[in-house]
Amino acid sequence: MTVEDYKPLYDMLEEFREEEAGLQARIEEHEAQAREAEIHLKAIEDTEPEDRKVFSPRRAEILYKEEIEKIKARKVLHEEQKQRLCSEKAIIERRISRLEEVCRHQRASDRNKHDASLMELENLIGRIESSSAYIDRNPIQARQELAIIAESLRRMLVRMREEA
């Protein structure tokens, strides 16, 4: 695959990361709402003084029954929403992980191809330097070496064009 073939994968990876950030924000919002409901429940329990709790036949659970039920239902709803969002986020995280692995592999493959091309160029430079020594002593052998080098460069150029 060429670099252009990986562009849609990089775009998908960025979209998944944005979606993950959005889900995380919504999870935090539901967590805050659940905590707020818990604090509200605690506040209702703490509104009645201790001595009244002991001596009064009416308790806060009875006086504020409907409100407590609404708050508990709201808390449960936020916790359920948080769980659902967490499972969606886990799916997105797995997809991100897979795409990152593919992109990492692609970058490593490109780096290996680049390194191989550099080594081949270094080898050709060495051959050019050694063939320059033949120019004075054996011009025919020098021409043959240069022809081989030129052919090697053409093949390398064709291969690099195919990979790009």
Side-chain angles (χ1 to χ4, degrees):
M1 290 181 82
T2 65
V3 175
E4 291 82 27
D5 294 335
Y6 282 92
K7 175 85 170 92
L9 293 179
Y10 287 120
D11 293 342
M12 284 175 56
L13 183 60
E14 188 59 35
E15 289 171 8
F16 282 141
R17 286 182 177 147
E18 290 172 4
E19 188 173 346
E20 178 189 28
L23 286 172
Q24 182 62 36
R26 290 173 54 199
I27 287 169
E28 290 170 2
E29 181 181 315
H30 284 290
E31 281 178 344
Q33 292 290 332
R35 279 193 305 270
E36 186 179 304
E38 185 65 37
I39 291 169
H40 196 197
L41 282 174
K42 196 76 148 156
I44 290 174
E45 290 174 5
D46 293 342
T47 56
E48 200 168 18
E50 282 298 317
D51 58 347
R52 188 161 184 216
K53 287 181 184 177
V54 174
F55 296 111
S56 176
R58 291 193 251 164
R59 298 173 52 175
E61 295 91 34
I62 296 169
L63 291 173
Y64 302 106
K65 182 179 181 182
E66 288 180 22
E67 189 175 350
I68 290 173
E69 287 175 1
K70 286 179 185 176
I71 293 170
K72 284 183 179 180
R74 195 172 71 221
K75 180 182 172 190
V76 167
L77 176 72
H78 287 295
E79 288 173 348
E80 288 173 353
Q81 288 293 326
K82 179 186 155 202
Q83 284 302 116
R84 184 183 60 78
L85 291 171
C86 283
S87 63
E88 285 180 29
K89 184 180 171 202
I91 292 169
I92 297 295
E93 287 172 343
R94 283 193 302 272
R95 289 177 181 164
I96 287 173
S97 176
R98 284 189 225 140
L99 279 172
E100 285 175 339
E101 182 64 32
V102 168
C103 292
R104 243 189 323 273
H105 176 71
Q106 182 262 338
R107 283 191 295 268
S109 175
D110 287 348
R111 191 172 27 259
N112 290 342
K113 289 175 187 174
H114 181 262
D115 291 346
S117 296
L118 287 177
M119 288 177 62
E120 194 171 343
L121 281 173
E122 286 176 359
N123 182 26
L124 289 173
I125 289 171
R127 289 182 76 178
I128 289 171
E129 289 170 347
S130 68
S131 66
S132 66
Y134 292 131
I135 291 176
D136 294 334
R137 290 181 289 175
N138 192 349
I140 296 173
Q141 188 176 0
R143 279 192 213 119
Q144 288 175 341
E145 278 290 318
L146 289 173
I148 293 170
I149 292 169
E151 183 58 33
S152 297
L153 283 171
R154 280 190 200 93
R155 280 189 309 232
M156 191 168 88
L157 183 63
V158 168
R159 191 180 71 241
M160 290 174 76
R161 283 184 181 154
E162 289 173 354
E163 291 173 357

